[in-house]
Amino acid sequence: MNVFGNKTKFAIECKVNGVSPYIMGYIRLWLQNSYIGFFDEEVMLVTSLGSLEELVGENRAERLKKISVPKEMSDEKLLKLLENDKGKIHDYTMFNVDESTDDFSIHIYRDGQLMNFLWRLHISPARKYGNYPGKTFSVAIDFSELSNT
């Protein structure tokens, strides 16, 4: 596996399996020593990288700056609010890398220079997740850490 970045801050871990006709492999994100994504399904890495580029892209960054998130809520309640919202807030904050993160509910929002990630694994009886915790995670990362990885 190759790791780009620092797992204690923000990193992308991936493995290339083949390049014909598409670059295929495995990918997952690391946010402050916690990972999002599983290596159980091969994905088109160009699609994954496109999602990650969009994460730090100017359009999304500007949209996320306009969203007001209630700071007095617990992470658990805030994630439920974002998951259940059927409007623009949900559309702007929802994030998915590719099939490797399909079992996760991931939402992001900006607070000044910080990019905030909230996520939780949704357990499916048909899959095995090892010892991955079923709790809600919350991590704030300086936007420059994302754009420099």
Side-chain angles (χ1 to χ4, degrees):
M1 297 290 168
N2 295 305
V3 176
F4 303 93
N6 182 338
K7 289 181 180 181
T8 63
K9 294 180 180 179
F10 177 81
I12 302 164
E13 183 177 14
C14 66
K15 177 185 179 190
V16 175
N17 277 358
V19 293
S20 180
Y22 304 103
I23 300 173
M24 302 296 290
Y26 303 96
I27 191 167
R28 71 174 157 202
L29 302 180
W30 285 88
L31 301 125
Q32 296 179 358
N33 288 321
S34 297
Y35 65 89
I36 303 174
F38 294 104
F39 291 140
D40 62 344
E41 190 170 344
E42 193 174 57
V43 297
M44 284 183 21
L45 292 175
V46 69
T47 302
S48 308
L49 294 176
S51 296
L52 293 170
E53 284 178 343
E54 197 264 337
L55 173 66
V56 296
E58 198 171 301
N59 288 337
R60 183 158 204 163
E62 287 305 310
R63 287 188 313 220
L64 289 173
K65 283 181 184 177
K66 297 175 184 174
I67 295 172
S68 177
V69 175
K71 294 180 178 151
E72 65 280 355
M73 281 189 177
S74 69
D75 293 335
E76 182 75 28
K77 286 183 180 179
L78 180 55
L79 184 58
K80 283 183 182 177
L81 174 75
L82 294 172
E83 287 173 336
N84 294 326
D85 179 78
K86 300 303 178 204
K88 285 187 178 182
I89 291 177
H90 178 272
D91 293 345
Y92 287 168
T93 65
M94 188 180 75
F95 180 65
N96 189 349
V97 178
D98 54 34
E99 293 87 350
S100 68
T101 60
D102 279 350
D103 291 338
F104 291 86
S105 176
I106 308 166
H107 287 267
I108 56 174
Y109 64 94
R110 291 267 312 252
D111 185 8
Q113 189 60 16
L114 295 177
M115 182 72 83
N116 296 274
F117 291 78
L118 286 169
W119 76 93
R120 168 184 35 238
L121 174 66
H122 292 285
I123 305 293
S124 167
R127 301 206 37 196
K128 295 181 182 178
Y129 302 104
N131 294 330
Y132 200 91
K135 67 177 189 171
T136 297
F137 289 84
S138 175
V139 169
I141 297 174
D142 190 287
F143 189 72
S144 64
E145 293 286 335
L146 294 173
S147 54
N148 291 332
T149 300

PDB file of all heavy atoms in Angstrom, residues 80-116:
ATOM      1  N   LYS A  80     -27.042  13.194  12.347  1.00  0.00           N
ATOM      2  CA  LYS A  80     -28.422  12.789  12.044  1.00  0.00           C
ATOM      3  C   LYS A  80     -29.170  13.897  11.326  1.00  0.00           C
ATOM      4  O   LYS A  80     -29.920  13.648  10.387  1.00  0.00           O
ATOM      5  CB  LYS A  80     -29.156  12.390  13.325  1.00  0.00           C
ATOM      6  CG  LYS A  80     -28.774  11.025  13.827  1.00  0.00           C
ATOM      7  CD  LYS A  80     -29.565  10.642  15.056  1.00  0.00           C
ATOM      8  CE  LYS A  80     -29.098   9.284  15.557  1.00  0.00           C
ATOM      9  NZ  LYS A  80     -29.767   8.882  16.775  1.00  0.00           N
ATOM     10  N   LEU A  81     -28.973  15.140  11.754  1.00  0.00           N
ATOM     11  CA  LEU A  81     -29.608  16.272  11.090  1.00  0.00           C
ATOM     12  C   LEU A  81     -29.175  16.345   9.629  1.00  0.00           C
ATOM     13  O   LEU A  81     -30.002  16.496   8.726  1.00  0.00           O
ATOM     14  CB  LEU A  81     -29.249  17.576  11.810  1.00  0.00           C
ATOM     15  CG  LEU A  81     -29.726  18.856  11.128  1.00  0.00           C
ATOM     16  CD1 LEU A  81     -31.221  19.049  11.324  1.00  0.00           C
ATOM     17  CD2 LEU A  81     -28.961  20.054  11.656  1.00  0.00           C
ATOM     18  N   LEU A  82     -27.883  16.223   9.368  1.00  0.00           N
ATOM     19  CA  LEU A  82     -27.370  16.303   8.002  1.00  0.00           C
ATOM     20  C   LEU A  82     -27.827  15.111   7.161  1.00  0.00           C
ATOM     21  O   LEU A  82     -28.142  15.262   5.980  1.00  0.00           O
ATOM     22  CB  LEU A  82     -25.844  16.395   8.012  1.00  0.00           C
ATOM     23  CG  LEU A  82     -25.272  17.675   8.633  1.00  0.00           C
ATOM     24  CD1 LEU A  82     -23.756  17.566   8.765  1.00  0.00           C
ATOM     25  CD2 LEU A  82     -25.678  18.891   7.841  1.00  0.00           C
ATOM     26  N   GLU A  83     -27.886  13.929   7.761  1.00  0.00           N
ATOM     27  CA  GLU A  83     -28.337  12.736   7.038  1.00  0.00           C
ATOM     28  C   GLU A  83     -29.807  12.847   6.631  1.00  0.00           C
ATOM     29  O   GLU A  83     -30.189  12.406   5.551  1.00  0.00           O
ATOM     30  CB  GLU A  83     -28.174  11.489   7.909  1.00  0.00           C
ATOM     31  CG  GLU A  83     -26.756  11.039   8.093  1.00  0.00           C
ATOM     32  CD  GLU A  83     -26.626   9.905   9.089  1.00  0.00           C
ATOM     33  OE1 GLU A  83     -27.503   9.740   9.966  1.00  0.00           O
ATOM     34  OE2 GLU A  83     -25.641   9.190   9.003  1.00  0.00           O
ATOM     35  N   ASN A  84     -30.615  13.437   7.506  1.00  0.00           N
ATOM     36  CA  ASN A  84     -32.061  13.483   7.269  1.00  0.00           C
ATOM     37  C   ASN A  84     -32.515  14.689   6.468  1.00  0.00           C
ATOM     38  O   ASN A  84     -33.644  14.722   5.998  1.00  0.00           O
ATOM     39  CB  ASN A  84     -32.813  13.429   8.601  1.00  0.00           C
ATOM     40  CG  ASN A  84     -32.624  12.101   9.291  1.00  0.00           C
ATOM     41  OD1 ASN A  84     -32.511  11.073   8.638  1.00  0.00           O
ATOM     42  ND2 ASN A  84     -32.559  12.119  10.606  1.00  0.00           N
ATOM     43  N   ASP A  85     -31.659  15.683   6.322  1.00  0.00           N
ATOM     44  CA  ASP A  85     -32.004  16.864   5.546  1.00  0.00           C
ATOM     45  C   ASP A  85     -32.112  16.477   4.074  1.00  0.00           C
ATOM     46  O   ASP A  85     -31.245  15.804   3.533  1.00  0.00           O
ATOM     47  CB  ASP A  85     -30.935  17.948   5.715  1.00  0.00           C
ATOM     48  CG  ASP A  85     -31.252  19.172   4.895  1.00  0.00           C
ATOM     49  OD1 ASP A  85     -32.110  19.956   5.327  1.00  0.00           O
ATOM     50  OD2 ASP A  85     -30.660  19.329   3.805  1.00  0.00           O
ATOM     51  N   LYS A  86     -33.174  16.874   3.433  1.00  0.00           N
ATOM     52  CA  LYS A  86     -33.376  16.525   2.016  1.00  0.00           C
ATOM     53  C   LYS A  86     -33.173  17.724   1.102  1.00  0.00           C
ATOM     54  O   LYS A  86     -33.525  17.696  -0.052  1.00  0.00           O
ATOM     55  CB  LYS A  86     -34.785  15.938   1.805  1.00  0.00           C
ATOM     56  CG  LYS A  86     -35.036  14.686   2.619  1.00  0.00           C
ATOM     57  CD  LYS A  86     -34.006  13.609   2.312  1.00  0.00           C
ATOM     58  CE  LYS A  86     -34.250  12.391   3.167  1.00  0.00           C
ATOM     59  NZ  LYS A  86     -33.083  11.579   3.359  1.00  0.00           N
ATOM     60  N   GLY A  87     -32.585  18.782   1.628  1.00  0.00           N
ATOM     61  CA  GLY A  87     -32.386  19.985   0.826  1.00  0.00           C
ATOM     62  C   GLY A  87     -30.944  20.213   0.458  1.00  0.00           C
ATOM     63  O   GLY A  87     -30.125  19.294   0.393  1.00  0.00           O
ATOM     64  N   LYS A  88     -30.620  21.488   0.238  1.00  0.00           N
ATOM     65  CA  LYS A  88     -29.283  21.843  -0.228  1.00  0.00           C
ATOM     66  C   LYS A  88     -28.202  21.560   0.803  1.00  0.00           C
ATOM     67  O   LYS A  88     -27.083  21.249   0.439  1.00  0.00           O
ATOM     68  CB  LYS A  88     -29.237  23.313  -0.624  1.00  0.00           C
ATOM     69  CG  LYS A  88     -29.914  23.582  -1.942  1.00  0.00           C
ATOM     70  CD  LYS A  88     -29.691  25.009  -2.374  1.00  0.00           C
ATOM     71  CE  LYS A  88     -30.338  25.218  -3.732  1.00  0.00           C
ATOM     72  NZ  LYS A  88     -30.125  26.557  -4.236  1.00  0.00           N
ATOM     73  N   ILE A  89     -28.519  21.680   2.086  1.00  0.00           N
ATOM     74  CA  ILE A  89     -27.491  21.423   3.092  1.00  0.00           C
ATOM     75  C   ILE A  89     -26.986  19.989   2.943  1.00  0.00           C
ATOM     76  O   ILE A  89     -25.786  19.744   2.904  1.00  0.00           O
ATOM     77  CB  ILE A  89     -28.014  21.689   4.524  1.00  0.00           C
ATOM     78  CG1 ILE A  89     -28.231  23.180   4.715  1.00  0.00           C
ATOM     79  CG2 ILE A  89     -27.035  21.157   5.560  1.00  0.00           C
ATOM     80  CD1 ILE A  89     -28.810  23.553   6.046  1.00  0.00           C
ATOM     81  N   HIS A  90     -27.902  19.035   2.824  1.00  0.00           N
ATOM     82  CA  HIS A  90     -27.512  17.634   2.640  1.00  0.00           C
ATOM     83  C   HIS A  90     -26.696  17.465   1.363  1.00  0.00           C
ATOM     84  O   HIS A  90     -25.652  16.832   1.353  1.00  0.00           O
ATOM     85  CB  HIS A  90     -28.747  16.740   2.593  1.00  0.00           C
ATOM     86  CG  HIS A  90     -28.440  15.304   2.356  1.00  0.00           C
ATOM     87  ND1 HIS A  90     -28.322  14.777   1.087  1.00  0.00           N
ATOM     88  CD2 HIS A  90     -28.213  14.282   3.218  1.00  0.00           C
ATOM     89  CE1 HIS A  90     -28.029  13.495   1.175  1.00  0.00           C
ATOM     90  NE2 HIS A  90     -27.963  13.172   2.446  1.00  0.00           N
ATOM     91  N   ASP A  91     -27.161  18.063   0.279  1.00  0.00           N
ATOM     92  CA  ASP A  91     -26.471  17.935  -1.003  1.00  0.00           C
ATOM     93  C   ASP A  91     -25.065  18.519  -0.949  1.00  0.00           C
ATOM     94  O   ASP A  91     -24.148  17.997  -1.569  1.00  0.00           O
ATOM     95  CB  ASP A  91     -27.262  18.620  -2.116  1.00  0.00           C
ATOM     96  CG  ASP A  91     -28.584  17.915  -2.393  1.00  0.00           C
ATOM     97  OD1 ASP A  91     -28.753  16.765  -1.946  1.00  0.00           O
ATOM     98  OD2 ASP A  91     -29.440  18.532  -3.044  1.00  0.00           O
ATOM     99  N   TYR A  92     -24.901  19.618  -0.236  1.00  0.00           N
ATOM    100  CA  TYR A  92     -23.593  20.262  -0.151  1.00  0.00           C
ATOM    101  C   TYR A  92     -22.644  19.542   0.804  1.00  0.00           C
ATOM    102  O   TYR A  92     -21.450  19.550   0.608  1.00  0.00           O
ATOM    103  CB  TYR A  92     -23.740  21.713   0.305  1.00  0.00           C
ATOM    104  CG  TYR A  92     -24.313  22.649  -0.730  1.00  0.00           C
ATOM    105  CD1 TYR A  92     -24.727  23.910  -0.374  1.00  0.00           C
ATOM    106  CD2 TYR A  92     -24.453  22.278  -2.069  1.00  0.00           C
ATOM    107  CE1 TYR A  92     -25.260  24.791  -1.313  1.00  0.00           C
ATOM    108  CE2 TYR A  92     -24.982  23.138  -3.010  1.00  0.00           C
ATOM    109  CZ  TYR A  92     -25.374  24.395  -2.624  1.00  0.00           C
ATOM    110  OH  TYR A  92     -25.894  25.258  -3.548  1.00  0.00           O
ATOM    111  N   THR A  93     -23.179  18.967   1.868  1.00  0.00           N
ATOM    112  CA  THR A  93     -22.299  18.383   2.884  1.00  0.00           C
ATOM    113  C   THR A  93     -22.020  16.904   2.677  1.00  0.00           C
ATOM    114  O   THR A  93     -21.025  16.392   3.169  1.00  0.00           O
ATOM    115  CB  THR A  93     -22.881  18.570   4.306  1.00  0.00           C
ATOM    116  OG1 THR A  93     -24.107  17.836   4.415  1.00  0.00           O
ATOM    117  CG2 THR A  93     -23.088  20.034   4.630  1.00  0.00           C
ATOM    118  N   MET A  94     -22.890  16.188   1.969  1.00  0.00           N
ATOM    119  CA  MET A  94     -22.686  14.748   1.766  1.00  0.00           C
ATOM    120  C   MET A  94     -21.423  14.514   0.938  1.00  0.00           C
ATOM    121  O   MET A  94     -21.153  15.226  -0.020  1.00  0.00           O
ATOM    122  CB  MET A  94     -23.879  14.136   1.054  1.00  0.00           C
ATOM    123  CG  MET A  94     -23.815  12.623   0.988  1.00  0.00           C
ATOM    124  SD  MET A  94     -25.239  11.929   0.134  1.00  0.00           S
ATOM    125  CE  MET A  94     -24.836  12.319  -1.552  1.00  0.00           C
ATOM    126  N   PHE A  95     -20.655  13.497   1.316  1.00  0.00           N
ATOM    127  CA  PHE A  95     -19.416  13.197   0.606  1.00  0.00           C
ATOM    128  C   PHE A  95     -19.256  11.690   0.480  1.00  0.00           C
ATOM    129  O   PHE A  95     -19.490  10.954   1.427  1.00  0.00           O
ATOM    130  CB  PHE A  95     -18.220  13.789   1.354  1.00  0.00           C
ATOM    131  CG  PHE A  95     -16.902  13.532   0.696  1.00  0.00           C
ATOM    132  CD1 PHE A  95     -16.612  14.081  -0.544  1.00  0.00           C
ATOM    133  CD2 PHE A  95     -15.955  12.740   1.308  1.00  0.00           C
ATOM    134  CE1 PHE A  95     -15.391  13.837  -1.159  1.00  0.00           C
ATOM    135  CE2 PHE A  95     -14.744  12.489   0.703  1.00  0.00           C
ATOM    136  CZ  PHE A  95     -14.454  13.047  -0.536  1.00  0.00           C
ATOM    137  N   ASN A  96     -18.874  11.244  -0.699  1.00  0.00           N
ATOM    138  CA  ASN A  96     -18.603   9.836  -0.944  1.00  0.00           C
ATOM    139  C   ASN A  96     -17.429   9.754  -1.902  1.00  0.00           C
ATOM    140  O   ASN A  96     -17.413  10.419  -2.930  1.00  0.00           O
ATOM    141  CB  ASN A  96     -19.831   9.146  -1.550  1.00  0.00           C
ATOM    142  CG  ASN A  96     -19.675   7.644  -1.621  1.00  0.00           C
ATOM    143  OD1 ASN A  96     -18.594   7.096  -1.418  1.00  0.00           O
ATOM    144  ND2 ASN A  96     -20.754   6.963  -1.907  1.00  0.00           N
ATOM    145  N   VAL A  97     -16.434   8.953  -1.564  1.00  0.00           N
ATOM    146  CA  VAL A  97     -15.253   8.820  -2.412  1.00  0.00           C
ATOM    147  C   VAL A  97     -15.566   7.905  -3.588  1.00  0.00           C
ATOM    148  O   VAL A  97     -15.372   8.246  -4.738  1.00  0.00           O
ATOM    149  CB  VAL A  97     -14.045   8.293  -1.616  1.00  0.00           C
ATOM    150  CG1 VAL A  97     -12.835   8.118  -2.516  1.00  0.00           C
ATOM    151  CG2 VAL A  97     -13.725   9.218  -0.454  1.00  0.00           C
ATOM    152  N   ASP A  98     -16.050   6.699  -3.280  1.00  0.00           N
ATOM    153  CA  ASP A  98     -16.356   5.685  -4.291  1.00  0.00           C
ATOM    154  C   ASP A  98     -16.999   4.508  -3.573  1.00  0.00           C
ATOM    155  O   ASP A  98     -17.454   4.643  -2.439  1.00  0.00           O
ATOM    156  CB  ASP A  98     -15.089   5.252  -5.055  1.00  0.00           C
ATOM    157  CG  ASP A  98     -13.982   4.788  -4.117  1.00  0.00           C
ATOM    158  OD1 ASP A  98     -14.285   4.197  -3.062  1.00  0.00           O
ATOM    159  OD2 ASP A  98     -12.806   4.999  -4.431  1.00  0.00           O
ATOM    160  N   GLU A  99     -17.004   3.338  -4.201  1.00  0.00           N
ATOM    161  CA  GLU A  99     -17.626   2.158  -3.590  1.00  0.00           C
ATOM    162  C   GLU A  99     -16.975   1.759  -2.265  1.00  0.00           C
ATOM    163  O   GLU A  99     -17.612   1.154  -1.414  1.00  0.00           O
ATOM    164  CB  GLU A  99     -17.578   0.960  -4.549  1.00  0.00           C
ATOM    165  CG  GLU A  99     -18.418   1.126  -5.787  1.00  0.00           C
ATOM    166  CD  GLU A  99     -17.671   1.845  -6.911  1.00  0.00           C
ATOM    167  OE1 GLU A  99     -16.564   2.397  -6.692  1.00  0.00           O
ATOM    168  OE2 GLU A  99     -18.210   1.858  -8.032  1.00  0.00           O
ATOM    169  N   SER A 100     -15.719   2.122  -2.064  1.00  0.00           N
ATOM    170  CA  SER A 100     -15.029   1.758  -0.820  1.00  0.00           C
ATOM    171  C   SER A 100     -15.616   2.469   0.396  1.00  0.00           C
ATOM    172  O   SER A 100     -15.411   2.048   1.525  1.00  0.00           O
ATOM    173  CB  SER A 100     -13.531   2.045  -0.928  1.00  0.00           C
ATOM    174  OG  SER A 100     -13.285   3.436  -0.992  1.00  0.00           O
ATOM    175  N   THR A 101     -16.353   3.554   0.174  1.00  0.00           N
ATOM    176  CA  THR A 101     -16.964   4.296   1.284  1.00  0.00           C
ATOM    177  C   THR A 101     -18.488   4.225   1.280  1.00  0.00           C
ATOM    178  O   THR A 101     -19.142   4.958   2.015  1.00  0.00           O
ATOM    179  CB  THR A 101     -16.524   5.774   1.260  1.00  0.00           C
ATOM    180  OG1 THR A 101     -16.931   6.372   0.020  1.00  0.00           O
ATOM    181  CG2 THR A 101     -15.023   5.914   1.432  1.00  0.00           C
ATOM    182  N   ASP A 102     -19.057   3.339   0.480  1.00  0.00           N
ATOM    183  CA  ASP A 102     -20.516   3.245   0.379  1.00  0.00           C
ATOM    184  C   ASP A 102     -21.202   2.903   1.701  1.00  0.00           C
ATOM    185  O   ASP A 102     -22.350   3.269   1.910  1.00  0.00           O
ATOM    186  CB  ASP A 102     -20.931   2.209  -0.670  1.00  0.00           C
ATOM    187  CG  ASP A 102     -20.875   2.761  -2.078  1.00  0.00           C
ATOM    188  OD1 ASP A 102     -20.706   3.987  -2.234  1.00  0.00           O
ATOM    189  OD2 ASP A 102     -21.004   1.965  -3.022  1.00  0.00           O
ATOM    190  N   ASP A 103     -20.540   2.201   2.580  1.00  0.00           N
ATOM    191  CA  ASP A 103     -21.159   1.809   3.850  1.00  0.00           C
ATOM    192  C   ASP A 103     -21.041   2.891   4.919  1.00  0.00           C
ATOM    193  O   ASP A 103     -21.425   2.670   6.066  1.00  0.00           O
ATOM    194  CB  ASP A 103     -20.538   0.509   4.366  1.00  0.00           C
ATOM    195  CG  ASP A 103     -20.901  -0.676   3.492  1.00  0.00           C
ATOM    196  OD1 ASP A 103     -21.919  -0.608   2.776  1.00  0.00           O
ATOM    197  OD2 ASP A 103     -20.163  -1.676   3.507  1.00  0.00           O
ATOM    198  N   PHE A 104     -20.529   4.035   4.545  1.00  0.00           N
ATOM    199  CA  PHE A 104     -20.363   5.140   5.486  1.00  0.00           C
ATOM    200  C   PHE A 104     -21.309   6.273   5.143  1.00  0.00           C
ATOM    201  O   PHE A 104     -21.623   6.516   3.983  1.00  0.00           O
ATOM    202  CB  PHE A 104     -18.931   5.697   5.419  1.00  0.00           C
ATOM    203  CG  PHE A 104     -17.887   4.774   5.947  1.00  0.00           C
ATOM    204  CD1 PHE A 104     -17.321   3.812   5.125  1.00  0.00           C
ATOM    205  CD2 PHE A 104     -17.453   4.867   7.257  1.00  0.00           C
ATOM    206  CE1 PHE A 104     -16.346   2.961   5.596  1.00  0.00           C
ATOM    207  CE2 PHE A 104     -16.477   4.019   7.737  1.00  0.00           C
ATOM    208  CZ  PHE A 104     -15.925   3.058   6.915  1.00  0.00           C
ATOM    209  N   SER A 105     -21.750   6.963   6.179  1.00  0.00           N
ATOM    210  CA  SER A 105     -22.430   8.232   6.012  1.00  0.00           C
ATOM    211  C   SER A 105     -21.373   9.280   6.340  1.00  0.00           C
ATOM    212  O   SER A 105     -20.879   9.339   7.469  1.00  0.00           O
ATOM    213  CB  SER A 105     -23.601   8.324   6.984  1.00  0.00           C
ATOM    214  OG  SER A 105     -24.207   9.577   6.881  1.00  0.00           O
ATOM    215  N   ILE A 106     -20.987  10.079   5.339  1.00  0.00           N
ATOM    216  CA  ILE A 106     -19.923  11.072   5.508  1.00  0.00           C
ATOM    217  C   ILE A 106     -20.482  12.442   5.148  1.00  0.00           C
ATOM    218  O   ILE A 106     -21.053  12.635   4.073  1.00  0.00           O
ATOM    219  CB  ILE A 106     -18.723  10.775   4.580  1.00  0.00           C
ATOM    220  CG1 ILE A 106     -18.246   9.330   4.727  1.00  0.00           C
ATOM    221  CG2 ILE A 106     -17.581  11.759   4.855  1.00  0.00           C
ATOM    222  CD1 ILE A 106     -17.317   8.886   3.613  1.00  0.00           C
ATOM    223  N   HIS A 107     -20.315  13.391   6.050  1.00  0.00           N
ATOM    224  CA  HIS A 107     -20.712  14.769   5.795  1.00  0.00           C
ATOM    225  C   HIS A 107     -19.562  15.687   6.168  1.00  0.00           C
ATOM    226  O   HIS A 107     -18.815  15.416   7.109  1.00  0.00           O
ATOM    227  CB  HIS A 107     -21.969  15.132   6.582  1.00  0.00           C
ATOM    228  CG  HIS A 107     -23.192  14.488   6.017  1.00  0.00           C
ATOM    229  ND1 HIS A 107     -23.990  15.116   5.093  1.00  0.00           N
ATOM    230  CD2 HIS A 107     -23.732  13.265   6.211  1.00  0.00           C
ATOM    231  CE1 HIS A 107     -24.970  14.308   4.751  1.00  0.00           C
ATOM    232  NE2 HIS A 107     -24.837  13.175   5.417  1.00  0.00           N
ATOM    233  N   ILE A 108     -19.427  16.765   5.412  1.00  0.00           N
ATOM    234  CA  ILE A 108     -18.359  17.728   5.644  1.00  0.00           C
ATOM    235  C   ILE A 108     -18.943  19.133   5.686  1.00  0.00           C
ATOM    236  O   ILE A 108     -19.974  19.409   5.075  1.00  0.00           O
ATOM    237  CB  ILE A 108     -17.280  17.653   4.540  1.00  0.00           C
ATOM    238  CG1 ILE A 108     -17.903  17.842   3.161  1.00  0.00           C
ATOM    239  CG2 ILE A 108     -16.510  16.349   4.609  1.00  0.00           C
ATOM    240  CD1 ILE A 108     -16.897  17.923   2.035  1.00  0.00           C
ATOM    241  N   TYR A 109     -18.289  20.004   6.441  1.00  0.00           N
ATOM    242  CA  TYR A 109     -18.653  21.417   6.445  1.00  0.00           C
ATOM    243  C   TYR A 109     -17.425  22.225   6.832  1.00  0.00           C
ATOM    244  O   TYR A 109     -16.484  21.706   7.415  1.00  0.00           O
ATOM    245  CB  TYR A 109     -19.843  21.703   7.358  1.00  0.00           C
ATOM    246  CG  TYR A 109     -19.601  21.439   8.821  1.00  0.00           C
ATOM    247  CD1 TYR A 109     -19.197  22.462   9.671  1.00  0.00           C
ATOM    248  CD2 TYR A 109     -19.792  20.172   9.365  1.00  0.00           C
ATOM    249  CE1 TYR A 109     -18.979  22.226  11.016  1.00  0.00           C
ATOM    250  CE2 TYR A 109     -19.576  19.925  10.708  1.00  0.00           C
ATOM    251  CZ  TYR A 109     -19.166  20.954  11.532  1.00  0.00           C
ATOM    252  OH  TYR A 109     -18.938  20.710  12.861  1.00  0.00           O
ATOM    253  N   ARG A 110     -17.439  23.500   6.454  1.00  0.00           N
ATOM    254  CA  ARG A 110     -16.314  24.387   6.751  1.00  0.00           C
ATOM    255  C   ARG A 110     -16.650  25.270   7.935  1.00  0.00           C
ATOM    256  O   ARG A 110     -17.774  25.697   8.112  1.00  0.00           O
ATOM    257  CB  ARG A 110     -16.012  25.311   5.560  1.00  0.00           C
ATOM    258  CG  ARG A 110     -15.460  24.668   4.340  1.00  0.00           C
ATOM    259  CD  ARG A 110     -13.967  24.613   4.191  1.00  0.00           C
ATOM    260  NE  ARG A 110     -13.157  25.766   4.412  1.00  0.00           N
ATOM    261  CZ  ARG A 110     -12.546  26.462   3.468  1.00  0.00           C
ATOM    262  NH1 ARG A 110     -12.725  26.161   2.206  1.00  0.00           N
ATOM    263  NH2 ARG A 110     -11.755  27.453   3.774  1.00  0.00           N
ATOM    264  N   ASP A 111     -15.640  25.561   8.720  1.00  0.00           N
ATOM    265  CA  ASP A 111     -15.728  26.531   9.803  1.00  0.00           C
ATOM    266  C   ASP A 111     -14.444  27.345   9.723  1.00  0.00           C
ATOM    267  O   ASP A 111     -13.420  26.935  10.259  1.00  0.00           O
ATOM    268  CB  ASP A 111     -15.877  25.833  11.148  1.00  0.00           C
ATOM    269  CG  ASP A 111     -16.089  26.803  12.295  1.00  0.00           C
ATOM    270  OD1 ASP A 111     -16.263  28.008  12.028  1.00  0.00           O
ATOM    271  OD2 ASP A 111     -16.069  26.363  13.454  1.00  0.00           O
ATOM    272  N   GLY A 112     -14.502  28.429   8.987  1.00  0.00           N
ATOM    273  CA  GLY A 112     -13.290  29.202   8.737  1.00  0.00           C
ATOM    274  C   GLY A 112     -12.316  28.388   7.898  1.00  0.00           C
ATOM    275  O   GLY A 112     -12.667  27.884   6.838  1.00  0.00           O
ATOM    276  N   GLN A 113     -11.111  28.217   8.399  1.00  0.00           N
ATOM    277  CA  GLN A 113     -10.077  27.467   7.683  1.00  0.00           C
ATOM    278  C   GLN A 113     -10.160  25.965   7.965  1.00  0.00           C
ATOM    279  O   GLN A 113      -9.435  25.179   7.369  1.00  0.00           O
ATOM    280  CB  GLN A 113      -8.684  28.011   8.068  1.00  0.00           C
ATOM    281  CG  GLN A 113      -7.532  27.488   7.272  1.00  0.00           C
ATOM    282  CD  GLN A 113      -7.607  27.778   5.770  1.00  0.00           C
ATOM    283  OE1 GLN A 113      -8.371  28.620   5.314  1.00  0.00           O
ATOM    284  NE2 GLN A 113      -6.843  27.046   4.989  1.00  0.00           N
ATOM    285  N   LEU A 114     -11.075  25.548   8.840  1.00  0.00           N
ATOM    286  CA  LEU A 114     -11.195  24.134   9.187  1.00  0.00           C
ATOM    287  C   LEU A 114     -12.234  23.430   8.319  1.00  0.00           C
ATOM    288  O   LEU A 114     -13.325  23.947   8.098  1.00  0.00           O
ATOM    289  CB  LEU A 114     -11.582  23.972  10.657  1.00  0.00           C
ATOM    290  CG  LEU A 114     -10.559  24.447  11.678  1.00  0.00           C
ATOM    291  CD1 LEU A 114     -11.117  24.286  13.090  1.00  0.00           C
ATOM    292  CD2 LEU A 114      -9.240  23.697  11.531  1.00  0.00           C
ATOM    293  N   MET A 115     -11.875  22.251   7.840  1.00  0.00           N
ATOM    294  CA  MET A 115     -12.808  21.372   7.141  1.00  0.00           C
ATOM    295  C   MET A 115     -13.200  20.315   8.166  1.00  0.00           C
ATOM    296  O   MET A 115     -12.350  19.593   8.689  1.00  0.00           O
ATOM    297  CB  MET A 115     -12.161  20.727   5.926  1.00  0.00           C
ATOM    298  CG  MET A 115     -13.094  19.852   5.136  1.00  0.00           C
ATOM    299  SD  MET A 115     -14.341  20.753   4.215  1.00  0.00           S
ATOM    300  CE  MET A 115     -13.411  21.184   2.764  1.00  0.00           C
ATOM    301  N   ASN A 116     -14.481  20.248   8.474  1.00  0.00           N
ATOM    302  CA  ASN A 116     -14.989  19.325   9.487  1.00  0.00           C
ATOM    303  C   ASN A 116     -15.599  18.108   8.813  1.00  0.00           C
ATOM    304  O   ASN A 116     -16.430  18.239   7.921  1.00  0.00           O
ATOM    305  CB  ASN A 116     -16.032  20.022  10.359  1.00  0.00           C
ATOM    306  CG  ASN A 116     -15.429  21.152  11.146  1.00  0.00           C
ATOM    307  OD1 ASN A 116     -14.899  20.947  12.215  1.00  0.00           O
ATOM    308  ND2 ASN A 116     -15.486  22.360  10.597  1.00  0.00           N
TER     309      ASN A 116
END
